[in-house]
Amino acid sequence: MGEKILMKGNEALAEAAILAGCRHFFGYPITPQTELAAYMAKRMPKLGGTFLQAESEVAAINMVLGAASAGVRTMTSSSSPGVSLKSEGVSYLAGSDLPCLIINVQRGGPGLGGIQPSQADYWQATKALGHGDFQIFVFAPSTVQEMVDLVNQAFDLADEYRMPAMILADGMLGQMMEPVEIPEVSELKLKDKPWATNGHKNSREHNIINSLYMQPEDLEQTIRDRFARYDDAKAKHQVFESYLTEDADIVVVAYGASSRISRSAVEQARELGIKAGLFRPITLWPFPNDELYKLAGSAKKFLAVEMSMGQMVDDVRLAVNGRKPVEFFGRTGGVIPTPAEVLEQIKKLAGGDR
Amino acid sequence: MADFNMLFAGFGGQGVLFAGKIVASAGLIEEKSVSWLPSYGPEMRGGTANCSVCVSDRPIGSPLVVTPNVFVPMNLPSFDKFINAVVPGGKVILDSTLVSSKVEREDVDAFYIPATKLAEEAGMKKLANVILVGKVFKETGFCSYEALEKALKKSVPASKAHLFDINRKAIEIGINFNS
């Protein structure tokens, strides 16, 4: 391992992708994600890779589809309005069983919204990033170091399950600098992709990448096969962090930037003698249902904290399944909640018990 | 103070982000938890720019400093905007060349240093920000001098390595000035 250096989240994401063997980046600039593309523009040519600033987000995601079809590690990055534009392409990628990485450094929406940090694309990322029956992996880092670590995992799982993966970050994580240790990668072991439509000098039957099925039964079968893989991913890859939850009466559930704020609030609550804990989903899809369901046995109340009007709280309620009350607190539109505001909510919930 | 929540604020171009980066780098060299978060957006062009820097022994929760315990304003609009956000007992270290107001609050410690004037007199016009870092170091002791010097070396880009000496001189002006 190397020494720790200060790095912006956006740049760390880019460096991590390069380390993970990604040599094909297609994007279009948008605040607060632009440093990521700028970093790629600087580095890719030196590595013999491709950096291409497309004419639009729609073009960029379709270039990703082309590169993924050829079997290489490929990615795109954007921020909320740009990700909406990519959604058609993401649906085609999912329908074609293609692995790739999509990074969303979220900002306030809807529409052009604003440029300050937000978590209002949770529903989009986890429920419907495009039309049709499909899911993508969604990872939610909360530190710059975790951004680095999750990029590699996202690429690996995307390859293993042949599906797109997303890093759902936000403007705060993208813009901030923190110490990171960039792992030294000696040799990459990438999964074989015998399905890829790459050159083979007539050594095999030609492969076809396609998402069109005119017979409903055929289409249904491909979707059922895909959902069997989703079930496998759900069983094996629910990732989370629990902090002080063992004896907690009030469990705050938060991911990404808002989990950092919630963590401070939980610590302050403990100092006041309130038994609070933090449950932090790291995979948003698959959502860590199993552990949260278990926690519903010991905790008395849950509080979802998000930088939105309340989106993940739906999944928290599904996981808790009515066993305990689930409350919500959020700020939206680019406003970052303060630890004091979250603490106020925790105190309110604790007060009801006494 | 074990936790330093600093806010550097000024006009775009004054180097508030760079000043914050030196502080964060110094904290990192001493193996503390650090974070650096800039304001970003249209306000950076011509308007106010600021950056939040946390240096702590514990993992950093919110990197956004809403209630600083060290506040370094480099212009009047920033001073007016944030002066009441400083926590009681906090330190306000201001560039008195550009901030004409006095700190009226009695529950914070105010330190006045005419950083811009000192920089001009020393022939280092754009280094008022680094002079202020020297002053912050003196009044808060957030790191050792060795760490600060190393951080400065790391923060000056390789292509501008020849500017290290003048930056160190600026730091020393900040340290040696008596307000």
Side-chain angles (χ1 to χ4, degrees):
Chain A
M1 298 294 251
E3 64 165 336
K4 281 193 176 177
I5 52 168
L6 274 182
M7 229 173 167
K8 263 194 168 195
N10 282 334
E11 294 174 345
L13 286 167
E15 182 60 32
I18 289 168
L19 281 173
C22 177
R23 292 293 180 274
H24 301 274
F25 176 95
F26 307 94
Y28 188 81
I30 182 168
T31 303
Q33 161 280 160
T34 300
E35 293 85 357
L36 202 170
Y39 193 92
M40 288 297 196
K42 220 189 287 174
R43 291 273 276 132
M44 279 301 192
K46 290 177 193 154
L47 297 164
T50 306
F51 165 84
L52 201 153
Q53 180 173 320
E55 69 270 33
S56 71
E57 286 87 348
V58 178
I61 192 72
N62 283 293
M63 290 172 186
V64 167
L65 190 148
S69 301
V72 297
R73 282 208 159 164
T74 179
M75 69 180 290
T76 186
S77 66
S78 191
S79 177
S80 309
V83 173
S84 291
L85 282 166
K86 291 182 198 290
S87 64
E88 180 198 52
V90 178
S91 175
Y92 278 63
L93 279 149
S96 309
D97 296 314
L98 291 171
C100 68
L101 179 66
I102 302 146
I103 290 175
N104 183 359
V105 183
Q106 295 170 92
R107 57 189 248 185
L112 272 178
I115 59 170
Q116 298 303 319
S118 162
Q119 296 181 319
D121 301 347
Y122 179 93
W123 280 335
Q124 183 193 49
T126 61
K127 313 291 178 205
L129 189 41
H131 62 281
D133 276 324
F134 78 92
Q135 296 287 349
I136 61 172
F137 278 108
V138 183
F139 297 87
S142 71
T143 64
V144 177
Q145 183 67 55
E146 204 172 30
M147 285 170 133
V148 170
D149 301 339
L150 288 178
V151 163
N152 194 39
Q153 285 180 40
F155 270 122
D156 281 349
L157 284 180
D159 281 353
E160 186 182 339
Y161 287 89
R162 287 187 64 180
M163 55 192 276
M166 171 178 276
I167 302 277
L168 191 65
D170 62 72
M172 186 172 105
L173 292 166
Q175 292 294 324
M176 72 186 283
M177 278 202 288
E178 266 187 330
V180 283
E181 210 165 291
I182 301 287
E184 277 167 30
V185 182
S186 48
E187 203 186 339
L188 276 173
K189 285 206 179 99
L190 300 186
K191 198 175 159 62
D192 263 355
K193 295 176 178 174
W195 46 263
T197 51
N198 49 8
H200 57 89
K201 297 182 180 167
N202 288 323
S203 63
R204 57 162 166 78
E205 286 281 295
H206 67 271
N207 288 331
I208 296 172
I209 302 282
N210 171 47
S211 69
L212 176 67
Y213 298 86
M214 295 307 286
Q215 298 303 322
E217 293 76 12
D218 294 348
L219 179 55
E220 186 186 41
Q221 194 53 52
T222 66
I223 295 168
R224 286 190 181 281
D225 291 348
R226 205 170 288 129
F227 271 68
R229 276 183 282 141
Y230 294 167
D231 285 341
D232 187 72
K234 281 188 207 168
K236 291 182 190 157
H237 298 289
Q238 298 182 19
V239 188
F240 57 88
E241 183 196 15
S242 294
Y243 177 64
L244 304 176
T245 53
E246 267 177 32
D247 65 337
D249 292 334
I250 296 164
V251 172
V252 179
V253 186
Y255 68 94
S258 55
S259 73
R260 300 178 64 114
I261 291 138
S262 300
R263 194 186 172 98
S264 300
V266 162
E267 284 170 357
Q268 289 164 17
R270 285 273 171 176
E271 282 167 21
L272 297 175
I274 300 170
K275 284 186 182 172
L278 173 70
F279 182 80
R280 178 170 74 87
I282 296 172
T283 50
L284 300 181
W285 194 94
F287 193 73
N289 286 308
D290 301 350
E291 185 65 19
L292 207 47
Y293 182 79
K294 264 188 234 162
L295 265 181
S298 58
K300 290 179 183 158
K301 286 175 183 175
F302 290 84
L303 172 68
V305 176
E306 303 174 56
M307 279 143 59
S308 74
M309 289 302 283
Q311 301 191 4
M312 178 195 64
V313 63
D314 289 356
D315 283 337
V316 177
R317 289 201 172 108
L318 283 171
V320 170
N321 204 14
R323 297 167 77 198
K324 296 289 158 63
V326 178
E327 303 294 336
F328 170 76
F329 174 73
R331 296 296 303 266
T332 194
V335 180
I336 299 171
T338 63
E341 285 174 322
V342 178
L343 177 64
E344 218 32 60
Q345 299 297 316
I346 295 174
K347 275 157 78 177
K348 225 161 67 182
L349 289 183
D353 263 353
R354 287 174 182 175
Chain B
M1 259 190 274
D3 293 334
F4 293 96
N5 296 314
M6 305 194 189
L7 184 66
F8 293 83
F11 288 123
Q14 280 182 309
V16 294
L17 303 189
F18 184 74
K21 198 177 164 186
I22 298 170
V23 172
S25 302
L28 171 58
I29 287 163
E30 296 203 327
E31 297 182 353
K32 301 238 166 98
S33 295
V34 300
S35 66
W36 174 97
L37 179 71
S39 60
Y40 61 90
E43 77 270 26
M44 287 174 77
R45 288 173 265 280
T48 57
N50 67 68
C51 91
S52 297
V53 179
C54 302
V55 180
S56 176
D57 295 326
R58 296 183 300 174
I60 288 155
S62 179
L64 179 69
V65 174
V66 187
T67 52
N69 56 18
V70 179
F71 174 42
V72 186
M74 286 187 75
N75 67 13
L76 196 55
S78 303
F79 175 84
D80 290 340
K81 190 172 174 188
F82 298 113
I83 186 64
N84 289 322
V86 179
V87 295
K91 292 177 173 164
V92 181
I93 295 161
L94 59 81
D95 185 340
S96 56
T97 314
L98 302 172
V99 181
S100 47
S101 297
K102 295 278 176 208
V103 178
E104 284 171 9
R105 286 179 58 179
E106 287 178 355
D107 58 348
V108 297
D109 291 328
F111 301 91
Y112 301 87
I113 175 168
T116 298
K117 191 166 144 255
L118 291 171
E120 274 169 20
E121 284 168 5
M124 44 175 83
K125 224 176 171 181
K126 285 188 169 168
L127 292 182
N129 58 338
V130 181
I131 292 177
L132 281 163
V133 171
K135 185 70 177 165
V136 168
F137 165 78
K138 184 187 173 190
E139 303 303 344
T140 67
F142 73 91
C143 70
S144 67
Y145 184 78
E146 293 72 45
L148 184 62
E149 202 178 23
K150 263 192 213 165
L152 195 62
K153 206 162 225 164
K154 282 198 168 170
S155 304
V156 175
S159 59
K160 293 179 184 167
H162 61 283
L163 296 178
F164 170 70
D165 283 336
I166 194 165
N167 272 278
R168 187 170 52 189
K169 215 176 131 198
I171 289 271
E172 271 153 23
I173 290 175
I175 293 173
N176 295 327
F177 179 81
N178 288 309
S179 47

